[in-house]
């Protein structure tokens, strides 16, 4: 069973996404900022990241970059409410498997997580 | 409109300085009388000029139809000018009569405030049809050239010079008034754009704020759906929640797209593929049928932006028909352009709406704030294209996207 960390400053959304993925059979945790996410990942045990690209303070891209620098290569799915950001980020960050537009297509999120977890 | 015409530039500047975000320019500022007097004084307009014109009219009147012929001949012979004549022969016949009235009145006067108001209305009429002001200026020049030989042959030698002078003055007077209408409309447009830019920024940040709660509503609805699988009534309400969240998200997406400047990426694309993609994206109700008359032709366009524009036109057409009826899409190559027409079987535009269909915050719908068509214009103009709205002779509206044709001709796209 994979552990998915969902990172979004919109906490109720992060909690809902966690619940949706839990229903799909994954273990989930949530974090509410880039810094928070880095701290949690470095403690170990996280298999997949789902993270918002734009958050107050440290955004998703910066958080991923720092994790990569420390040698952590957890696969990630990015989410963004800014359509133009989705095209910019694609392929830049190794380890970003997909960029989902917000509002999130939950079925697609489930499929992607299942694929990565498999 | 007429009132705003009589204001001097100084007052306008004052009005604009005090522009409130929501109040807009002060359209009801006090009407100032001196405009006509100011122009007449500058022209050294005298009663003698008015008399000369009235006297000349007797001799010239039988020949003035020649002048009118020249005017319309020039327009219909000129491929750019005649584009604004969309109504065919009947329109030209009607315009000839109004033009004739105008021409006779130039000579007969009285050159008073009613005269001024009529001229400003004429100016506004041409702004509304999108006639560039250069055509007004050149038309007046053509009038002058056409009248000159008539004066030479029909006016007694001793009165000729005075008649020429008076004609020059009255044409200059008319042109000034008509161009004032152009300028006022342009200033109004600038003020409106300024206001919209501010409103747009506020709207965009509110839009972003609303996305968070909408995201939570939709994720919660998604979770709720699973728990109410056995409760048809609750499930129906979940569907409603999802549908309306989707509507809200679309409005926000339109608003954000309107404000955001995304440079287009132009590529050669088959027009019919764009149309079909848009039809799919529009997800119209089953009660709306869409037929596509496709010419095999390619356009040079940004795929995402063009599909979004077409999707909005289709949604607009469906709404105009209150969600049921037939939409006809036709693709028509026209020289170095390709036109995509979206025809609906709705009630068409009112005369007032027709010229403003693509302006933001103008809507006839009870729901919605009227961002769909302005977004279409923005998306298309950004790519160097154009949009147009007309009422079809048989009823219903026709909205047209005019895009650049792909250079390598139909069928060849890399
Ligand atoms: C000296 C120049 C011109 C004069 C005095 C003139 C006069 C007029 C008048 C009196 C009207 C009726 C306005 C109303 O609805 O109250 C009109 C409308 C119109 N004119 Fe002109 N015109 C001039 C130049 C042109 C040119 C150069 C074109 C085209 C290239 C043009 C195209 C039209 C059209 C299409 C309308 C119809 C507007 C509508 O349907 O509302 N005009 N014009």
């Amino acid at each position: 069973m994979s552990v998915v960390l969902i990172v979004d400053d919109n906490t109720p959304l992060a909690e809902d996404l966690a619940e949706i993925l839990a229903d799909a059979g994954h273990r989930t945790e949530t974090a509410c900022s880039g810094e928070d996410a880095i701290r949690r990942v470095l403690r170990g045990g996280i298999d997949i990241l789902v993270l918002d690209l734009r958050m107050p303070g440290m955004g998703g891209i910066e958080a991923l970059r720092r994790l990569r620098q420390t040698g952590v290569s957890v696969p990630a799915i990015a989410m963004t409410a800014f359509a133009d950001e989705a095209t910019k980020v694609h392929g830049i960050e190794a380890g970003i498997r997909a960029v989902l537009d917000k509002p999130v297509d939950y079925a697609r999120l489930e499929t992607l997580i299942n694929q990565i977890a498999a | 409109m007429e009132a705003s015409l009589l204001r001097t530039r100084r007052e306008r500047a004052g009005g604009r300085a005090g522009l409130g975000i929501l109040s807009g320019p002060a359209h009801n500022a006090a009407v100032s009388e001196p405009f006509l007097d100011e122009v007449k004084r500058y022209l050294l307009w005298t009663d003698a000029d008015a008399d000369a014109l009235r006297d000349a009219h007797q001799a010239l009147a039988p020949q003035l139809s020649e002048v009118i012929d020249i005017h319309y001949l020039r327009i219909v012979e000129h491929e750019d000018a005649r584009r604004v004549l969309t109504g065919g022969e009947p329109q030209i016949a009607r315009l000839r009569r109004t033009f004739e009235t105008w021409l006779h009145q130039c000579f007969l006067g009285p050159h008073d405030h009613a005269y001024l108001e009529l001229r400003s209305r004429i100016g506004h009429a041409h702004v509304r049809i999108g006639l560039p002001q250069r055509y007004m200026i050149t038309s007046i020049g053509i009038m002058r050239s056409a009248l000159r030989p008539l004066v030479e042959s029909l006016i007694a030698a001793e009165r000729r010079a005075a008649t020429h002078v008076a004609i020059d003055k009255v044409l200059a007077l008319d042109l000034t008034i008509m161009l004032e209408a152009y300028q006022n409309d342009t200033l109004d447009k600038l003020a409106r754009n300024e206001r919209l830019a501010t409103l747009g920024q506020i709207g965009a940040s509110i839009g972003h704020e609303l996305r968070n709660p909408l995201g939570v509503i939709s994720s919660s609805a998604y979770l709720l759906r699973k728990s109410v699988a056995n409760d048809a009534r609750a499930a129906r309400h979940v569907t409603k929640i999802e549908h309306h969240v989707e509507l809200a998200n679309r409005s926000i997406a339109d608003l954000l797209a309107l404000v955001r400047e995304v440079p287009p990426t132009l590529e050669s694309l088959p027009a019919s593929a764009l149309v079909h993609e848009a039809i799919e994206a529009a997800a119209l109700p089953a009660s709306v049928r869409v037929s596509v008359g496709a010419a095999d032709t390619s356009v040079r366009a940004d795929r995402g932006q063009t599909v979004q524009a077409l999707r909005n036109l289709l949604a607009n057409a469906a709404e105009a028909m209150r969600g049921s009826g037939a939409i006809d899409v036709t693709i028509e190559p026209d020289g170095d352009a390709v036109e995509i027409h979206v025809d609906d079987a709705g009630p068409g535009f009112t005369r007032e709406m027709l010229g403003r269909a693509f302006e933001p915050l103008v809507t006839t719908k009870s729901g919605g704030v009227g961002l769909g068509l302005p977004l279409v214009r923005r998306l298309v103009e950004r790519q160097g294209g154009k949009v147009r709205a007309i009422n079809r002779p048989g009823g219903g509206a026709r909205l047209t996207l005019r895009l650049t044709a792909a250079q390598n001709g139909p069928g060849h796209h890399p």
Side-chain angles (χ1 to χ4, degrees), chain B residues 71-72 74-76 78 80-87 91 94-95 97-103 106 118-119 121-123 125-126 128-129 131-132 135-141 143 171 174-175 178 351:
Chain B
H71 176 67
Y72 285 100
R74 282 293 174 90
I75 296 175
V76 295
H78 193 282
D80 294 309
R82 71 166 169 247
R83 256 185 242 269
V84 300
L85 297 175
T86 49
Q91 187 188 25
R94 187 162 44 80
L95 285 179
R97 285 193 298 278
T98 54
F99 191 88
E100 188 176 13
T101 310
W102 167 78
L103 189 55
C106 286
L118 184 68
R119 266 69 189 156
R121 215 184 67 208
I122 297 174
H126 294 93
R128 199 170 53 232
I129 58 164
L131 183 73
Y135 288 100
M136 297 308 287
I137 301 170
T138 43
S139 292
I140 290 289
M143 292 297 98
L171 291 178
D174 273 56
L175 182 59
M178 292 191 290
R351 195 179 152 78

Side-chain angles (χ1 to χ4, degrees), chain B residues 59-345:
Chain B
L60 298 179
Q63 305 300 321
L64 287 182
S65 60
E66 275 176 35
V67 177
I68 304 171
D69 288 340
I70 291 174
H71 176 67
Y72 285 100
L73 205 60
R74 282 293 174 90
I75 296 175
V76 295
E77 281 177 357
H78 193 282
E79 61 202 44
D80 294 309
R82 71 166 169 247
R83 256 185 242 269
V84 300
L85 297 175
T86 49
E89 287 297 324
Q91 187 188 25
I92 295 185
R94 187 162 44 80
L95 285 179
R96 274 191 73 103
R97 285 193 298 278
T98 54
F99 191 88
E100 188 176 13
T101 310
W102 167 78
L103 189 55
H104 286 274
Q105 204 194 12
C106 286
F107 286 94
L108 292 172
H111 307 86
D112 56 8
H113 281 282
Y115 186 91
L116 170 81
E117 297 215 343
L118 184 68
R119 266 69 189 156
S120 25
R121 215 184 67 208
I122 297 174
H124 284 301
H126 294 93
V127 172
R128 199 170 53 232
I129 58 164
L131 183 73
Q133 66 174 24
R134 55 182 175 273
Y135 288 100
M136 297 308 287
I137 301 170
T138 43
S139 292
I140 290 289
I142 291 166
M143 292 297 98
R144 182 177 294 125
S145 313
L147 286 166
R148 200 154 273 277
L150 293 184
V151 171
E152 289 298 318
S153 61
L154 297 170
I155 302 292
E158 72 277 11
R159 298 210 320 264
R160 258 177 230 156
T163 307
H164 282 312
V165 168
I167 288 176
D168 282 353
K169 285 184 187 177
V170 80
L171 291 178
L173 177 66
D174 273 56
L175 182 59
T176 306
I177 299 169
M178 292 191 290
L179 291 190
E180 187 76 3
Y182 270 86
Q183 190 187 36
N184 285 339
D185 276 12
T186 311
L187 288 175
D188 276 351
K189 205 178 266 175
L190 277 176
R192 210 162 45 226
N193 284 348
E194 235 170 71
R195 202 152 44 99
L196 278 170
T198 315
L199 279 176
Q201 277 153 12
I202 296 171
S205 51
I206 294 175
H208 269 300
E209 289 296 316
L210 288 179
R211 276 189 153 173
N212 279 341
L214 283 169
V216 179
I217 293 171
S218 96
S219 56
S220 290
Y222 187 81
L223 284 162
L224 193 57
R225 171 168 299 290
K226 298 184 182 175
S227 337
V228 301
N230 299 321
D231 183 341
R233 181 156 170 238
R236 203 172 65 238
H237 287 292
V238 172
T239 304
K240 262 193 193 167
I241 292 172
E242 286 172 343
H243 177 62
H244 287 268
V245 167
E246 166 69 18
L247 290 182
N249 275 323
R250 274 200 186 187
S251 292
I252 292 173
D254 279 355
L255 175 67
L256 295 176
L258 194 60
V259 175
R260 200 170 41 214
E261 283 297 339
V262 187
T265 313
L266 299 181
E267 50 184 333
S268 292
L269 300 162
S272 58
L274 293 170
V275 170
H276 286 289
E277 206 174 314
I279 292 172
E280 199 155 308
L284 299 171
S287 48
V288 173
R289 277 163 294 118
V290 187
S291 70
V292 184
D296 177 22
T297 185
S298 291
V299 292
R300 212 167 154 65
D302 179 290
R303 179 175 170 172
Q305 296 184 10
T306 309
V307 168
Q308 195 180 3
L310 284 166
R311 194 202 79 194
N312 271 334
L313 287 191
L314 292 166
N316 182 76
E319 271 169 48
M321 304 188 303
R322 296 177 177 279
S324 78
I327 300 174
D328 291 317
V329 183
T330 41
I331 299 169
E332 191 182 359
D334 178 20
D336 53 5
V338 173
E339 298 201 327
I340 304 178
H341 310 291
V342 177
D343 297 352
D344 68 48

